Structures are given as structure tokens and as C-alpha cells.
Amino acid sequence: MDSPEHTIEVEKLYKRYGKVEAVNGISFKVAKGQIVGFLGPNGAGKSTTMKILTGYSRATSGIARICGIPVACHAHEIKRRIGYMPENNPLPLELRVREYLKWRARLKELPFRHRGKRIDEVMERCDLTRAQDRIIGKLSKGFRQRVGIADAILAHPEVIIMDEPTIGLDPHQVIMIRDLISSLQGKMSVIISSHILSEIEMTCDEVIIINHGKIVGQGTPQELRESFINSTIYELEINGSLADLRQSLKTLAANLDVDKFEEADERGFSKVTIRIPGNHDYGEMLFSCLSDNPLIRARSLRKRQAPLEDVFLAATRRSWETLDTDLAEHSESEDSDSEKTEMPAAN
Ligand code: ATP
């Protein structure tokens, strides 16, 4: 029954809430052991897609399969294979950490004789051992997020789905959770949604950008850059005026952008960026243009990757104009299917 290559398969998935198409015909696959990042502006449909994948919400139409098993008809079976950390990570605040994980292990039908050892292992992995006897309601947000992750990986699931696992954490905790997610690479298939684009770039093999319920970009961060960003950026440290720099670069490209992003230091060198249309290596030509101009002295030259933010903005910009209509429609539609504060079932 297991799909040989892909643990997650989604085909033409739709979810409608009244007039709002929260998920609008998306299809994608995630390979075994792959980490995929879900990016999208607020209301794009990320959480809705995740809830459908985990059997927590039903799709209006389309198919979602986990390890080859259709989620809609075998919700109980797929829950054994998924570890889910929902948005806002609802937890029973009155329980102690170990007590909670024991309860979850029982729900997840982990064999009794393995439970204690496995709970020790996940607590160790999530740096929770010292907090095992503490009441969840008295833990900091970072510790609670770790409890959510410990729960998600507890039963060795093949698929992990985490909805904004690092939201509200301080930079130390973000790094810790990022490392934890990276350590799952090759072992479990993971989908994480996040608004922290640098984090997605550091942890994920592939990125899926969703906007208005549709996939607007998909690929490795590098592939996305190539398809959405048609320019090459260099960072330079120069001693000289921007006007002279522009003059010396005019043979390189007609419409390049030159911007100063750091004022001159005590030796008169300031940092500038040059954005040249096209995806090429202009390094050698830049050196040659600069050395031909005696009014410009260059101290360093470095090619810079376009930030993932630029890719995200380019990919989502196309459908912004429909946002007003979407919001107007949404305000009319309410749905009883509001599961946001409930506890997840066994997964
Ligand atoms: P965020 O980044 O803000 O969490 P998201 O990408 O996860 O956003 P979803 O929560 O999936 O977005 O919401 C997609 C759309 O569906 C939004 O327009 C949202 O308001 C709507 N929606 C989500 N849940 C419900 C519900 N239970 N009833 C009605 N509309 C809903």
C-alpha cells in the first residue's frame, strides 16, 4: 500500500468555506525524508491544507494521500503515520510534561513496553528532560513548542506536519527548533509553515509558495530565485561617488540599479549594491569597468543571492489585486468548521 517514493501526495485539492476558496485546486508531492516549507501570506490556505492532510478537516474535493493511503477514507490509519503540531499548539495546561507525553503515547498506541524509553528519548532530543515534571501551563512558550514537537515525533511517524512551529520564539529557541527539524531530514517527511523566510531557506529542501489557495511557486530556493528573480546583485565597497560608479558601469547594462546601503567609513569607503537585469556572472566585467575608472577605488566585490523575501514578494504580487474581493466575500461566509482551538486527535 505504501507509495514507494512519496509519503505525501495531494491532487487537485479544494476546500471551500462558504464563498471563500481557502484551498483552490492544489497538487504537490513530498518525497520520503524531504523537508518542505509552506510559505504564503496570512489567509493563503496553509493551515487549511495541513488540517486536510492530517485528517483534521475534510476537503471539499480532491485527494490527499499519506504513505499511499487516502486520508478521507482512512483517517484513523493515517493518524498513526503522522505527527501533527497545529497552529498555536493547543496543550492541556494542567498536565505535567511527562504525564502528557505518556497520555499521548497511549493514544498513539505505542507498545506499552517501549513507551518509557521512547518518552525519555524524545524529551532528551527536545531538551525537555529537566522540565519533565513541570506543569505545562507554567512553561515558557519555547518549552511548550518543544512539548508540541516531542509529541509530533513521539510515535516515529513517517510524516510530520508543523504549523508555524517557531512563532513567538526568541532567536535562541528558533535556532534550537530549526536544528531539531533539520535533524529529521532523510528520516521523516516534514512539512512546516513559517513566516520566517530565512528559517525556511535554512531547513527546507523545497519550498511551496501558496497565495489565495493556489500554488504560485514551487522548487528549491535556488530554482525559485531563477524563475522569479531576473536580476543579479553585487555588493561592493567603493571609494568614489555613485555618479562616477554609474558612469563606469554604463557599458555593462543600460538599466542597472546602483544604491548605497551603508555610509562611508573613516577611510571613505561606502557599501553599495548593484542590481543588473538578467541572471549572469558579471564579476569579471565589473572588475574591468572599475579598474578602468581612476575616480573609483574598489575594496571588495561580492555576488549576493536575492533574499527569499524578494522571491516571496514576486510570487505573491501577481494575485494581490484579487485580495479585496476575497476579503469582501469572506466577511459574508462563516463556517461551523472552526477547529482552531481543539486538540488534535491521536496524530
Ligand atoms: P495564516 O498564515 O494567517 O495562518 P493560512 O495560510 O494558514 O494563514 P488558512 O488559515 O488556511 O490560511 O485560511 C485560508 C482562508 O480560509 C482564509 O481566508 C481564512 O479566513 C479562511 N478560513 C480558515 N478557516 C476557516 C473556517 N473555519 N471558517 C471559515 N473560513 C475559514
Side-chain angles (χ1 to χ4, degrees):
M1 190 75 181
D2 283 9
S3 166
E5 285 177 75
H6 296 103
T7 39
I8 303 170
E9 293 164 284
V10 169
E11 279 171 36
K12 298 194 180 117
L13 204 67
Y14 288 85
K15 175 73 181 181
R16 202 169 296 122
Y17 290 112
K19 288 184 186 164
V20 175
E21 293 280 8
V23 178
N24 198 354
I26 65 172
S27 303
F28 66 90
K29 291 178 177 180
V30 178
K32 276 185 180 169
Q34 199 181 27
I35 303 186
V36 170
F38 257 16
L39 284 184
N42 294 126
K46 305 178 297 292
S47 301
T48 306
T49 307
M50 291 177 152
K51 284 188 212 165
I52 296 171
L53 283 176
T54 51
Y56 194 33
S57 176
R58 284 183 86 85
T60 308
S61 65
I63 300 178
R65 287 191 206 90
I66 298 293
C67 304
I69 305 166
V71 175
C73 339
H74 302 276
H76 185 70
E77 178 56 32
I78 65 113
K79 279 178 176 144
R80 290 170 194 270
R81 296 167 184 257
I82 293 189
Y84 177 37
M85 181 170 158
E87 195 177 21
N88 303 324
N89 187 22
L91 293 167
L93 302 182
E94 68 289 356
L95 292 188
R96 291 174 198 279
V97 173
R98 189 177 191 94
E99 205 180 350
Y100 170 66
L101 292 174
K102 265 167 122 173
W103 173 60
R104 297 294 291 165
R106 205 174 66 231
L107 270 186
K108 289 170 191 248
E109 297 168 5
L110 220 71
F112 180 75
R113 64 184 185 287
H114 297 316
R115 277 183 212 164
K117 185 165 174 273
R118 182 60 187 156
I119 290 169
D120 286 342
E121 271 168 19
V122 295
M123 285 197 304
E124 178 71 35
R125 188 124 184 231
C126 300
D127 196 16
L128 280 171
T129 311
R130 62 203 155 106
Q132 59 179 301
D133 295 321
R134 294 197 50 202
I135 291 173
I136 292 174
K138 293 189 178 169
L139 292 176
S140 69
K141 173 124 183 139
F143 269 94
R144 288 190 210 177
Q145 294 293 84
R146 289 188 226 175
V147 174
I149 297 180
D151 171 37
I153 63 175
L154 187 60
H156 299 286
E158 285 145 280
V159 172
I160 305 249
I161 296 187
M162 295 186 203
D163 202 349
E164 302 198 29
T166 55
I167 194 161
L169 301 187
D170 72 39
H172 291 289
Q173 293 169 333
V174 170
I175 292 171
M176 191 252 145
I177 289 188
R178 195 174 65 210
D179 290 347
L180 190 67
I181 295 169
S182 298
S183 74
L184 305 175
Q185 196 167 34
K187 300 183 190 107
M188 297 168 179
S189 304
V190 183
I191 295 188
I192 47 170
S193 74
S194 174
H195 289 286
I196 307 175
L197 307 190
S198 55
E199 175 189 314
I200 289 280
E201 173 139 41
M202 275 186 252
T203 21
C204 298
D205 303 302
E206 198 164 289
V207 180
I208 295 178
I209 305 178
I210 303 182
N211 200 17
H212 297 295
K214 291 185 194 270
I215 294 182
V216 293
Q218 181 170 4
T220 62
Q222 196 48 36
E223 284 165 353
L224 288 170
R225 276 192 184 92
E226 280 161 19
S227 58
F228 286 100
I229 307 287
N230 189 25
S231 61
T232 311
I233 306 168
Y234 288 90
E235 262 177 35
L236 270 84
E237 284 182 294
I238 58 151
N239 187 327
S241 75
L242 285 196
D244 287 331
L245 180 64
R246 281 197 193 96
Q247 179 66 21
S248 54
L249 298 179
K250 73 174 192 256
T251 51
L252 202 66
N255 49 346
L256 47 74
D257 281 334
V258 177
D259 279 313
K260 189 181 281 190
F261 70 94
E262 215 174 280
E263 287 306 321
D265 64 13
E266 67 287 353
R267 299 187 58 204
F269 282 87
S270 45
K271 288 189 180 162
V272 298
T273 52
I274 303 173
R275 190 183 281 265
I276 311 169
N279 287 310
H280 304 290
D281 196 341
Y282 294 99
E284 204 177 337
M285 285 156 80
L286 272 172
F287 268 123
S288 140
C289 293
L290 292 168
S291 57
D292 286 348
N293 188 340
L295 299 173
I296 301 280
R297 281 188 292 135
R299 188 164 70 179
S300 71
L301 170 69
R302 176 169 89 85
K303 194 172 174 182
R304 202 186 79 187
Q305 286 204 318
L308 203 55
E309 276 83 356
D310 288 5
V311 176
F312 177 79
L313 291 174
T316 51
R317 193 177 295 135
R318 289 176 193 162
S319 43
W320 277 123
E321 59 269 21
T322 59
L323 182 64
D324 291 343
T325 334
D326 184 46
L327 284 176
E329 283 174 351
H330 177 231
S331 64
E332 290 167 19
S333 65
E334 269 306 305
D335 194 310
S336 55
D337 191 4
S338 48
E339 320 92 350
K340 292 205 167 184
T341 53
E342 287 172 28
M343 287 285 296
N347 55 353

